[in-house]
Amino acid sequence: MAEKEAKSKKVSFYQLQQGKRESSQFSLRSKLDNIYRNFQNKTYNNVNELEIKDVTYYISAIKKIPLEGFINLGGDSEEWYSYAINIANVDSTQEVKYGNLSKVIDEREEIIDLSEEDIDMSQVGPLFDTQLLIDPFYSIVCISRTIGGTNMWALKKFLSRIFGEDGEDVHGIKFAFIPDEKSIDNLENLTLIQSLSFEVAKTGDAESEIDDSRSELGDIKLANKLNGDEYEFRIKSTKLNKAGVMAKIKSLGEDKAFDKVKSINVEGIDNGVEVMYDLLANKLSYSGFIEYDKFKGLTILDNFNYLGKAYAIKGDFITKNLPICEGDSYERQNQ
């Protein structure tokens, strides 16, 4: 009988957003379905990899995870599912756990005798793993970070590569924050909203990405002339329109003109008491305990199952607060 151990583990939720330009648009579901088929057929060479200096990133495992319910796309009801993915990276400049880059994906991880004279060290490096779950319908990415795993910058670069075509990366991919249940409830319960302030960092060419009708455009043009690369805005009144504030907060998460939202603060009155909420302090996440066999250690499958559990727990919140990003319909049929 297996002896179980458990350790605390946090899963962070982001909305995967695509670039604004038409050339940057793609079907997330089709891309993931195709990668999954390639793994089923063992045609690993059809799945793109990413090399950054001495590090190679690649998908070493993928699992299709069914979710509860169905998605309504254009009148057709389809199975709701996600993909759990393991991203391995091999660094040829370090010494930890070794893999052979010259071998196909399912053969890379093995014990390599580094004392052998015929070992090509340019093809050998330690292996690190990062697990994530992607819902291709709601365009949600759940990430379970590990020590030595893929950082967010490299992960964005990697996804840009694997979702690209003909050796070309897709551009404009970003991870947008998702305010959690507490943040949404706090704002909805406010008697008055009196101030909204936010700070954002621009992309390489923010001005060209921004609609001329945007009220912030004049300030952004001025900041660009002054070589500024961050913008801070504040809107204040004795009583701001709550629906408008909520819409603005939502648009900040979806805005493709900026690389990063650095802060969002709301001030108001809650039952006669002045309050201030830092929305980025409460991002959608799940924290719990992941169980694993003490003698086998924590496996990729353990992490996949934990990601599936985390997503199932937050699933109702996601379906109630976020639109379907695949197809023409924004409805989900529950069963």
Side-chain angles (χ1 to χ4, degrees), residues 263-331:
S263 69
I264 304 178
N265 295 295
V266 174
E267 297 177 42
I269 304 295
D270 183 2
N271 291 322
V273 179
E274 293 184 356
V275 294
M276 185 184 80
Y277 296 125
D278 178 355
L279 269 63
L280 293 196
N282 296 299
K283 301 176 187 178
L284 188 63
S285 63
Y286 171 79
S287 294
F289 290 87
I290 182 170
E291 290 190 344
Y292 58 94
D293 189 321
K294 176 180 178 180
F295 300 103
K296 290 183 180 179
L298 192 58
T299 67
I300 292 173
L301 185 57
D302 291 330
N303 280 290
F304 280 1
N305 292 337
Y306 186 70
L307 285 170
K309 173 186 174 182
Y311 198 75
I313 289 173
K314 299 294 183 178
D316 283 345
F317 174 81
I318 288 167
T319 57
K320 290 176 182 177
N321 291 280
L322 297 172
I324 294 173
C325 301
E326 177 72 29
D328 299 325
S329 174
Y330 290 86
E331 298 175 5

Side-chain angles (χ1 to χ4, degrees), residues 53-178:
K53 295 184 178 179
D54 298 305
V55 182
T56 299
Y57 299 86
Y58 62 95
I59 296 176
S60 65
I62 183 169
K63 180 183 180 183
K64 189 174 185 179
I65 299 180
L67 300 171
E68 185 178 350
F70 291 84
I71 298 291
N72 189 327
L73 297 176
D76 296 325
S77 185
E78 298 191 23
E79 176 194 9
W80 187 26
Y81 59 86
S82 63
Y83 285 108
I85 295 172
N86 188 75
I87 299 174
N89 68 73
V90 181
D91 187 339
S92 60
T93 66
Q94 300 183 36
E95 294 183 0
V96 186
K97 178 183 178 184
Y98 292 92
N100 192 331
L101 284 174
S102 65
K103 296 192 174 184
V104 296
I105 289 169
D106 62 340
E107 297 176 347
R108 283 182 175 172
E109 187 170 342
E110 61 179 26
I111 302 300
I112 298 174
D113 185 356
L114 299 182
S115 66
E116 294 182 7
E117 295 182 357
D118 61 347
I119 293 292
D120 180 0
M121 291 305 297
S122 67
Q123 292 294 318
V124 173
L127 294 165
F128 300 97
D129 295 297
T130 297
Q131 293 81 36
L132 62 148
L133 180 144
I134 305 180
D135 178 345
F137 297 95
Y138 285 91
S139 198
I140 303 295
V141 179
C142 308
I143 303 171
S144 175
R145 299 288 298 279
T146 55
I147 297 175
T150 306
N151 62 39
M152 295 297 287
W153 176 83
L155 180 59
K156 186 167 69 170
K157 295 278 289 182
F158 178 72
L159 295 181
S160 298
R161 174 62 51 86
I162 66 170
F163 295 145
E165 291 281 352
D166 302 322
E168 295 291 330
D169 296 356
V170 294
H171 299 287
I173 283 181
K174 63 180 287 190
F175 296 110
F177 76 96
I178 303 173

